[in-house]
Amino acid sequence: MAPVLYKASLTREPFLFYEMRTVCRLLEKGMEKTAVVDSVVKKNLFQYPTEKSVRRMARACVARAGGLGTSNLVSVLAHGPVEEAKQVCLYALMKEHRLVLDFMVTVVGEKFRTLDFSWNTKVAANYLMRLKEQNESVASWSDSSTKKIRGVLVGLLVENGYLKNPRAGKLEPVYLYPNLENVIRANDEKNILPAFNCFS
């Protein structure tokens, strides 16, 4: 059995809510993927300093949006209420990065399942420490990369209402929006429902 692949590229391509919203709005207009990338670059819709960085991130967002697999979720991310759109953005990131998926299910979801809402800055650090012991690719990451990824994971929780701030002492209960729940169930991905505090 092949080892699980965890990608450190998460440090370069984190949550990207604004960028994903921009890309999904173009996709919803019926634009082809390459045309979306070209449009983002030509108009510098991300307001990045270099064309190279804009193109790289636009391609990453188009690929991530493709992982949503349904025009309904693309539409929610493009035009839905901010909190619901952010939840879809988190789902897209979980689909792309096994590291985020595992963290949300095995750490956050498990805390919801056991009604253990306690939190501190060490929770994400301990998760990454365990991964380093279990996975060769993660073990090769530098301390600075590991620290950045820890920051990304905590940032995701703050961005999506799981934590009130990066130093919060407890998890906040979250609500899984029906549009996303329906897709998760239709895709037979019920294993990830705990990440959204859903157990029924």
Side-chain angles (χ1 to χ4, degrees):
M1 190 166 139
V4 174
L5 179 62
Y6 294 104
K7 299 181 288 187
S9 60
L10 185 63
T11 58
R12 297 190 306 274
E13 302 160 7
F15 193 46
L16 303 176
F17 176 66
Y18 167 78
E19 293 86 346
M20 286 289 289
R21 198 144 162 103
T22 301
V23 162
C24 284
R25 284 173 176 168
L26 296 176
L27 288 171
E28 223 206 357
K29 291 179 179 177
M31 293 176 66
E32 294 293 324
K33 294 177 180 179
T34 52
V36 169
V37 173
D38 290 341
S39 180
V40 171
V41 172
K42 186 177 179 181
K43 300 173 184 176
N44 191 13
L45 296 178
F46 294 169
Q47 298 292 298
Y48 286 3
T50 67
E51 180 178 315
K52 183 179 177 183
S53 62
V54 176
R55 186 173 296 278
R56 188 188 79 237
M57 208 61 78
R59 284 177 176 156
C61 287
V62 166
R64 192 177 293 179
L68 290 171
T70 165
S71 58
N72 180 37
L73 290 187
V74 170
S75 179
V76 170
L77 220 172
H79 302 292
V82 170
E83 296 309 317
E84 183 176 5
K86 283 183 176 181
Q87 194 173 78
V88 172
C89 194
L90 175 59
Y91 171 71
L93 184 59
M94 289 167 67
K95 296 271 283 185
E96 181 185 34
H97 280 278
R98 178 65 182 271
L99 179 79
V100 178
L101 175 67
D102 287 354
F103 174 71
M104 292 302 301
V105 173
T106 66
V107 178
V108 178
E110 183 63 14
K111 279 188 165 289
F112 283 142
R113 189 185 70 78
T114 59
L115 301 179
D116 173 16
F117 297 102
S118 63
W119 191 268
N120 60 58
T121 54
K122 293 181 180 177
V123 176
N126 289 342
Y127 165 71
L128 291 170
M129 193 183 303
R130 288 196 303 272
L131 279 191
K132 277 180 174 281
E133 294 169 354
Q134 299 164 4
N135 188 281
E136 285 185 19
S137 63
V138 178
S140 70
W141 294 350
S142 67
D143 288 344
S144 62
S145 288
T146 305
K147 188 175 181 180
K148 284 178 185 174
I149 289 175
R150 185 182 74 200
V152 169
L153 294 175
V154 173
L156 292 176
L157 297 180
V158 174
E159 195 82 44
N160 284 274
Y162 290 81
L163 297 175
K164 287 188 174 178
N165 61 67
R167 302 208 168 269
K170 69 183 183 76
L171 276 176
E172 302 294 328
V174 297
Y175 167 75
L176 176 58
Y177 288 91
N179 281 311
L180 180 54
E181 181 179 354
N182 291 340
V183 169
I184 289 173
R185 292 187 186 281
N187 289 345
D188 198 25
E189 297 172 326
K190 291 192 285 290
N191 61 300
I192 72 173
L193 288 173
F196 300 98
N197 195 24
C198 182
F199 298 94
S200 56

